[in-house]
Structures are given as C-alpha cells and as structure tokens.
Amino acid sequence: MHKDYIATRDTDAPEADFVEQFWTDNWKNSGGVEGRVTKYVSSFDRFALKSEWRIMRHFMTPQSHSRLLDGGCGTGEWCRYLDAQGYSTLGLDISRETIAKLQELFPDADFRAGDIRETGLEDASFDAMYSWGTFEHFEIGLQPCIGEAYRLLRPGGMLFITVPFDSIGLSLIKVFQRTPKKPARNRKRFYQWRLTRAELANELALGGFEVLKLKPIHRRQSIVRILHHGFGVDYNSRFARFTGLLLGLVLPRSFCGHMLMAVARKPENG
Ligand SMILES: C[S@@+](CC[C@H](N)C(=O)[O-])C[C@H]1O[C@@H](n2cnc3c(N)ncnc32)[C@H](O)[C@@H]1O
C-alpha cells in the first residue's frame, strides 16, 4: 500500500478534524453545496453512464437491496440519484457544515453527520453500502471502515467501494522519481492510501468479505492528473482533455485507472 501526502500548513490538527476541514473547504471551493446540487440535479441522466453505477446495478435492485448507506456522501449526488431510482438512502459525511446545508436543501431526505468508522447505527441495518473515495483517508488504514461496514450490513449485504488505484503507470513514474536528500521545503501530512488490486482484495478478505469484483475505473481522469502533476499541464486545458480522452481509449485500465472499484459481499452466514 502506497501513501500519498499533501502539502498543508495544517499539520498539527487531529486527523479527523483535518479530514473534515479539508472536505468542507473542498466543497466550498468547487461551487459550494448549493451550486453543486443545482448542477447535478440537472444532469441526473448522466449518472446512468457512470462506471460505478454500471457495475453496481448488476448486484442489486430496489426489491433485493432497498436500504442503502452512502459512506462519505459529499454533496449528496449519489443519494439523490439512488433515491430517484427507488432505493432508500442514508447519506453520512464527516463534514458537518456540508450535511447541515444538505438537510436544509432536502428536508425530506436522510442526510446525517457522522464518521463511517464509528457510526453508532444499528447492526445489520443496511442491505448495501457504497462509499466512493473515502475508506483511504485515515493513516491507520482501511480496517476501521471495513469493520464498521461489515457490522452495518445484513448477512448477504453488498459493499461497493472505490479507493485510489496504485496503477502500473504510477509505479513506472515512481521509478523515475528522485530520492530526496534534504528535508522537504513544504509541510506535508498524510492524505490517502493508494492500493493495488491484490492489496484491496486482501483488506476486504481480512474484514470477512467475499470479494466479487475488482476493476480500475476513471482512466481519463488519471491521465489528466499525470499530465498535471508530472508535466504541469493545466487540468482544464484542451490539450489535457484531448490527450486524456485519446489515451483513455487505448491504454489498459491496469496501466492508468485512477480509482479501483471493489464489489464485496458479507457472507450469508456472517
Ligand atoms: C472523495 S470525497 C467523495 C464524495 C462523494 N462520495 C462523491 O463521490 O462525490 C470523500 C468524502 O468523504 C468524507 N469523509 C472522509 N472521511 C470520512 C469519514 N471517516 N466518515 C464520513 N465521511 C468521511 C469527506 O468529507 C468527503 O465528503
């Protein structure tokens, strides 16, 4: 498992406070909760094309898995989309400010502030849990999130997660990275774990899950990030978008997937 660090002045705050503040600021700086909600509500038809949904929908229906938990729901797009598909979703997020805004905007929906490592929710109270880009944010590792997911799911319940993928492309870049000899100029702290397929499968199996599928997704995003971080190319430039699109079509997922999606099941006798 590979650790990613982030440059920040906030190196002394306790980890949970740092994660909460980081994401609260992130949502504010990327359009604000209201702005993001307006944007995604008008483009729900595009959700049907998202890689996560194209994988998930083969494993559940509103009849077989009606009660869902979104672990780290951010600005709530997935909860709103899945509720519209006939599921009943609880959106949980550590960012209290984001959740307060969602509660104000959607008084009939179920959004709650909380930590997915220790939710205080009832045992076996969900048919499925999904969590995009959240299990990787604590330096202690993924087990506290996996353990809580196991407790919350009923036997036979499904777990869908994405975590940053330690792809072959990134491993190649690491070969050319310089070995630092001097102390780092910027203050940095742990940001996230990055995993290979085998590592994620191992974490899930350790937590008692049967692993049904592992698939790298978001190829285009990964190429745009490599261009940005490796070569200083602007994320939104035409060059980045065109190259991302083109290489995303030809390069294999194992080479350049950005996130790794896992589908796992709590055993019927679990
Ligand atoms: C990468 S964002 C993903 C947001 C959303 N799932 C999406 O796909 O747009 C990660 C989210 O997880 C939340 N988060 C991080 N750690 C958490 C934890 N321990 N418990 C609950 N939420 C957490 C963050 O506040 C943030 O909103």
Side-chain angles (χ1 to χ4, degrees):
M1 288 182 21
H2 174 86
K3 279 183 182 184
D4 284 343
Y5 291 85
I6 190 164
T8 175
R9 279 191 219 115
D10 198 2
T11 44
D12 298 328
E15 196 172 38
D17 296 352
F18 171 74
V19 171
E20 177 178 6
Q21 193 58 51
F22 178 89
W23 286 104
T24 302
D25 293 345
N26 179 73
W27 301 132
K28 277 190 193 157
N29 299 334
S30 55
V33 180
E34 265 165 328
R36 288 179 59 91
V37 164
T38 315
K39 203 163 151 199
Y40 70 66
V41 165
S42 64
S43 62
F44 263 165
D45 42 338
R46 277 199 268 148
F47 268 70
L49 302 174
K50 289 191 184 259
S51 319
E52 293 89 339
W53 178 238
R54 294 210 315 240
I55 295 173
M56 258 172 120
R57 65 176 189 203
H58 295 296
F59 294 91
M60 59 176 206
T61 63
Q63 289 72 41
S64 64
H65 294 82
S66 62
R67 180 82 177 125
L68 308 185
L69 175 63
D70 182 337
C73 65
T75 51
E77 38 270 70
W78 280 94
C79 301
R80 303 305 297 149
Y81 178 69
L82 290 170
D83 282 352
Q85 305 307 306
Y87 295 93
S88 158
T89 305
L90 162 55
L92 192 78
D93 202 282
I94 203 166
S95 166
R96 284 167 286 188
E97 218 177 299
T98 307
I99 290 293
K101 195 77 206 166
L102 287 171
Q103 287 168 337
E104 192 187 308
L105 291 171
F106 301 110
D108 297 332
D110 197 356
F111 285 111
R112 299 185 210 170
D115 189 326
I116 56 167
R117 298 169 301 168
E118 203 176 347
T119 60
L121 299 166
E122 228 178 282
D123 286 4
S125 50
F126 292 91
D127 299 311
M129 174 177 180
Y130 62 94
S131 182
W132 310 143
T134 304
F135 277 34
E136 68 273 15
H137 286 300
F138 288 85
E139 199 162 5
I140 191 174
L142 279 66
Q143 284 306 318
C145 298
I146 294 175
E148 183 69 346
Y150 189 91
R151 185 185 74 74
L152 293 174
L153 288 170
R154 62 149 164 93
M158 299 296 304
L159 177 64
F160 306 94
I161 60 169
T162 60
V163 296
F165 179 41
D166 203 1
S167 64
I168 297 175
L170 285 178
S171 304
L172 279 181
I173 290 177
K174 279 184 228 160
V175 173
F176 297 105
Q177 268 173 350
R178 273 194 251 141
T179 316
K181 298 203 174 74
K182 294 183 187 155
R185 254 188 284 154
N186 292 329
R187 296 171 74 190
K188 289 187 179 177
R189 69 182 290 165
F190 173 80
Y191 177 55
Q192 63 181 14
W193 288 103
R194 188 169 283 285
L195 290 90
T196 62
R197 278 193 178 97
E199 287 164 348
L200 181 55
N202 194 39
E203 291 294 317
L204 290 164
L206 272 174
F209 282 96
E210 293 169 45
V211 182
L212 305 182
K213 195 174 178 83
L214 288 160
K215 187 170 183 180
I217 58 174
H218 300 175
R219 272 182 287 191
R220 190 164 51 91
Q221 209 176 329
S222 156
I223 293 160
V224 172
R225 275 166 191 257
I226 290 173
L227 287 174
H228 177 72
H229 293 294
F231 306 98
V233 176
D234 181 359
Y235 273 120
N236 297 315
S237 66
R238 269 202 206 152
F239 174 73
R241 275 188 283 166
F242 177 73
T243 314
L245 198 69
L246 194 72
L247 293 182
L249 290 173
V250 292
L251 290 175
R253 290 173 187 282
S254 49
F255 188 84
C256 67
H258 172 52
M259 299 299 281
L260 177 60
M261 178 156 173
V263 179
R265 183 167 48 209
K266 177 170 171 172
E268 288 292 350
N269 58 0

